[in-house]
Amino acid sequence: MKKFIAKNIWLLSLGLLLITSCAKKSDDPQPENNEPFSSALIERQQVVQIPTAFANNNTNRFAVETRGYINATNAVFTAYSGFLAIPANSTSNGNGSWTWTDFQGNQITYTSTLANGQYSVTMDAKFSDGTAYRVYEATERQDGTLGKITWFDTDGTAALVMDWKYENGLFTSTIVSDGQRFVSESNDNLSGTIKVYDNDVLIFTGTWQSTGAGECVSYNSDGTQNETGSW
């Protein structure tokens, strides 16, 4: 999980720079309907929700290990969904477009549109040296039950892909970054599962019940079973 965390620390640091504006707030009133898109992820807060008994189990190492993967998933979704928002002192250009300048002099453009029941959101950065790149592309169903965010490196390659779906009391989410994939299922009754893959090889799976009890299995890099545990 170290390379997954290291990669996303870099992306998060870049994102913090891009959403920090030093532009002066416009004195011109903005139209009331000229509001930027707000993701349903922000309201959910944690994509993987667990019972209190599991959250407070700090004595069983298998529970702690499983919760580590859950916490990593929640942290990434929480941080990145926050970047779908824009600074309060950004300038509205109309037609769902906003711009601002960060502390390093980079010009950021955020655009959101709604068509056929789906929001499409993009953020583009133009650096002070004249180079430009797309920071992310995001889509979300208007009712908030389905969405996807793709974050890009400065060379244009996809660095992180997050998608989610909520249906019939089940919230599923996937994170793909640097060869690793985290797949989680979170039920409304607080039971769920999480699976972790490294280069498409399953290396960990955890399952927990609404009571807080659970079990997990870790695997070697060749896919063979390494260890099992329960709590």
Side-chain angles (χ1 to χ4, degrees):
M1 190 164 62
K2 289 182 178 179
K3 66 177 181 179
F4 174 83
I5 294 174
K7 180 71 171 180
N8 287 289
I9 286 175
W10 178 84
L11 284 169
L12 287 170
S13 299
L14 176 61
L16 284 172
L17 286 174
L18 296 179
I19 66 170
T20 304
S21 171
C22 62
K24 294 182 179 180
K25 187 174 182 178
S26 174
D27 293 329
D28 297 329
Q30 302 296 334
E32 291 184 0
N33 62 349
N34 197 22
E35 294 295 329
F37 161 74
S38 179
S39 174
L41 286 177
I42 298 175
E43 298 178 4
R44 185 173 175 88
Q45 296 182 346
Q46 291 187 328
V47 295
V48 185
Q49 300 175 348
I50 61 176
T52 301
F54 180 21
N56 293 338
N57 189 336
N58 296 314
T59 58
N60 185 292
R61 67 182 181 90
F62 298 109
V64 172
E65 181 180 10
T66 303
R67 208 166 58 240
Y69 289 112
I70 294 171
N71 291 342
T73 298
N74 284 334
V76 170
F77 264 94
T78 298
Y80 281 102
S81 62
F83 294 146
L84 291 173
I86 63 174
N89 54 350
S90 58
T91 300
S92 174
N93 305 314
N95 298 320
S97 177
W98 289 261
T99 57
W100 64 92
T101 302
D102 68 16
F103 286 119
Q104 293 187 337
N106 307 314
Q107 180 177 306
I108 315 303
T109 301
Y110 171 105
T111 304
S112 64
T113 59
L114 174 62
N116 300 318
Q118 177 174 279
Y119 288 101
S120 297
V121 184
T122 61
M123 180 182 285
D124 295 281
K126 184 177 181 180
F127 296 118
S128 54
D129 63 2
T131 60
Y133 92 107
R134 173 145 295 179
V135 182
Y136 68 71
E137 296 177 349
T139 58
E140 185 172 313
R141 190 177 289 170
Q142 190 173 5
D143 62 7
T145 58
L146 183 72
K148 181 178 181 179
I149 309 173
T150 302
W151 286 78
F152 299 96
D153 272 326
T154 53
D155 62 2
T157 59
L160 175 75
V161 179
M162 307 157 49
D163 62 68
W164 69 94
K165 180 180 181 180
Y166 180 74
E167 186 176 35
N168 298 324
L170 176 64
F171 191 99
T172 59
S173 63
T174 303
I175 301 173
V176 179
S177 179
D178 204 20
Q180 289 195 323
R181 177 161 46 103
F182 287 44
V183 182
S184 64
E185 295 184 348
S186 180
N187 294 289
D188 283 351
N189 68 358
L190 303 184
S191 64
T193 63
I194 189 164
K195 295 181 179 180
V196 182
Y197 299 83
D198 193 357
N199 294 319
D200 292 327
V201 177
L202 180 66
I203 61 172
F204 183 87
T205 180
T207 303
W208 59 94
Q209 310 303 320
S210 58
T211 60
E215 58 186 10
C216 65
V217 182
S218 62
Y219 300 86
N220 299 309
S221 58
D222 61 359
T224 58
Q225 184 173 304
N226 175 40
E227 188 177 30
T228 64
S230 61
W231 61 90

